[in-house]
Amino acid sequence: MENVIIIGSGPAGFTAALYAARADLSPICFEGDIYQGMLPGGQLMTTTEVENYPGYPEGTTGPQMMEEFRAQAARFGARFENKKVTAVDTSSRPFKVTVGSDEVLEAKAIIIATGATAKYLGIESEQTFMNRGVSACATCDGAVPRFRGTPLVVVGGGDTAVEEAIFLTKFASQVHLVHRRDQLRASKVMANRAIKHEKITTEWNTVVEEILGNDQDGVTGVRMKDTQTGETRELACSGYFCAIGHRPNSELFEDVLDLDENGYIKTLPDSSYTRIDGVFACGDVQDHVYRQAITAAGSGCMAAIDMTRWLEEQEA
Ligand code: NDP
């Protein structure tokens, strides 16, 4: 019988593991290869420079930071297994967590930290130039030298796209916001801010067909198509930011927990409690607003504290 099983291994999962380990609960964290081949460590494993996480004055890389998070939790007795959780049965306690095809573990509590996955258009050139001009996180990657003083492309029309476009104006010479319709989905205030911004050009009724580039320079431009006329044209840029939304990795819990209309796990206000006693959620699988490593780590800490107090109450 495990005290707590942590599912997921980004900053939220690793921080929950650290706090649970320091509470002497010997947590076990199933960290991996759970989602679309994503490496254990979550979305940060696809990021290069991380310069906005306090405590790293010179910056670090996503993979390096996750290795350090993991090592810190392991130092206090957290256990990690690079295995895939395939089912969770919370109909009675202890909970049953299936790992792989047939290994079933019992746990008093579960912390869900399965994160979210950025959506991409799905064109091959996105993969070809990943981290060489292609990104899905302006906040993570926007400030690197390659994007400074050059035109950049942001795809999408929602709040994320608009926010990313506005953020990128700090570095870019011009940001081209490419949207497939003639109206932004983003909230009015945000949309107006983007439309009025002198450094943002909105490319209406336009889709990106191909990202152009080469081995040496990475991304050098995009080929776009006007959805009304079918006309194609090329636009020079050094960066392509895909901002068409995120998909929370909550499929395992669809029939179990309350999810919002976008699939994010609902937690009780100001806590990590889900609707099932003993099941806690943290990080990007329950946060569609901030989605930063620092906020994910903070909510991982909250989940471990909530879980520890809940276990103490149960055992009292
Ligand atoms: P949304 O789902 O709101 O927007 C996605 C955008 O991407 C839409 O404009 C959509 O176009 C476009 N899109 C989707 N698929 C494709 C595709 N295959 N090709 C081209 N374009 C595509 O996602 P967001 O991440 O922007 O927002 C998610 C939620 O988070 C929203 O509720 C949002 O309000 C919230 N949020 C809030 C923020 C804040 O308050 N500061 C910041 C960021 C997000 P179309 O419009 O045609 O469907």
Side-chain angles (χ1 to χ4, degrees):
M1 165 82 82
E2 298 290 343
N3 288 313
V4 56
I5 289 178
I6 298 169
I7 310 173
S9 58
F14 287 153
T15 305
L18 170 65
Y19 274 74
R22 286 175 58 83
D24 259 354
L25 293 171
S26 183
I28 182 159
C29 178
F30 289 101
E31 56 180 344
D33 187 27
I34 319 180
Y35 306 103
Q36 288 95 40
M38 188 95 95
L39 289 168
Q43 294 177 80
L44 278 166
M45 300 305 284
T46 63
T47 309
T48 47
E49 295 296 307
V50 178
E51 294 178 324
N52 56 5
Y53 200 96
Y56 293 89
E58 302 305 322
T60 181
T61 66
Q64 176 67 28
M65 193 164 87
M66 287 305 92
E67 202 180 305
E68 287 170 7
F69 269 47
R70 189 180 189 278
Q72 191 173 353
R75 178 153 81 91
F76 295 100
R79 293 163 297 149
F80 296 93
E81 290 208 27
N82 187 197
K83 287 184 183 169
K84 174 176 170 165
V85 169
T86 49
V88 175
D89 179 358
T90 54
S91 56
S92 61
R93 294 213 294 261
F95 304 127
K96 291 181 185 56
V97 173
T98 307
V99 181
S101 51
D102 54 6
E103 188 186 349
V104 179
L105 285 89
E106 289 187 331
K108 296 177 190 167
I110 293 174
I111 293 179
I112 303 166
T114 47
T117 307
K119 293 188 206 162
Y120 282 92
L121 292 179
I123 50 181
E124 208 180 313
S125 43
E126 284 177 324
Q127 290 307 318
T128 310
F129 297 112
M130 187 60 71
N131 290 331
R132 290 189 300 144
V134 170
S135 167
C137 180
T139 321
C140 321
D141 300 328
V144 304
R146 74 164 286 132
F147 298 132
R148 289 178 187 262
T150 72
L152 300 174
V153 161
V154 175
V155 175
D159 281 319
T160 301
V162 166
E163 222 174 52
E164 304 256 286
I166 293 171
F167 180 73
L168 289 171
T169 59
K170 289 188 215 290
F171 318 107
S173 57
Q174 193 69 23
V175 177
H176 296 266
L177 183 60
V178 180
H179 185 35
R180 62 183 175 184
R181 293 188 294 128
D182 62 357
Q183 205 178 3
L184 295 173
R185 177 180 294 278
S187 57
K188 272 259 169 320
V189 176
M190 294 286 286
N192 285 338
R193 211 173 285 166
I195 289 164
K196 285 186 188 149
H197 202 295
E198 57 175 13
K199 275 180 130 189
I200 297 178
T201 308
T202 317
E203 313 283 354
W204 300 115
N205 299 315
T206 303
V207 290
V208 168
E209 275 196 335
E210 201 67 74
I211 298 156
L212 310 170
N214 57 54
D215 279 352
Q216 197 189 325
D217 303 320
V219 172
T220 57
V222 292
R223 188 170 69 244
M224 307 188 297
K225 183 166 130 187
D226 187 310
T227 57
Q228 311 277 294
T229 63
E231 212 172 279
T232 60
R233 67 190 160 103
E234 290 184 3
L235 179 76
C237 65
S238 70
Y240 159 95
F241 291 82
C242 195
I244 61 171
H246 285 76
R247 193 177 37 250
N249 299 318
S250 58
E251 300 87 345
L252 274 181
F253 314 101
E254 264 164 16
D255 302 323
V256 178
L257 298 176
D258 288 340
L259 308 183
D260 75 9
E261 65 279 12
N262 293 314
Y264 290 87
I265 295 175
K266 286 189 186 173
T267 47
L268 301 186
D270 303 324
S271 84
S272 64
Y273 281 81
T274 67
R275 94 175 164 77
I276 296 184
D277 261 4
V279 178
F280 304 84
C282 54
D284 286 11
V285 74
Q286 57 83 236
D287 166 28
H288 66 84
V289 178
Y290 301 105
R291 294 200 303 250
Q292 300 299 302
I294 183 78
T295 49
S299 82
C301 160
M302 286 168 63
I305 290 175
D306 286 345
M307 177 275 301
T308 305
R309 289 179 184 162
W310 179 83
L311 268 183
E312 282 166 4
E313 277 166 25
Q314 301 301 305
E315 283 164 10

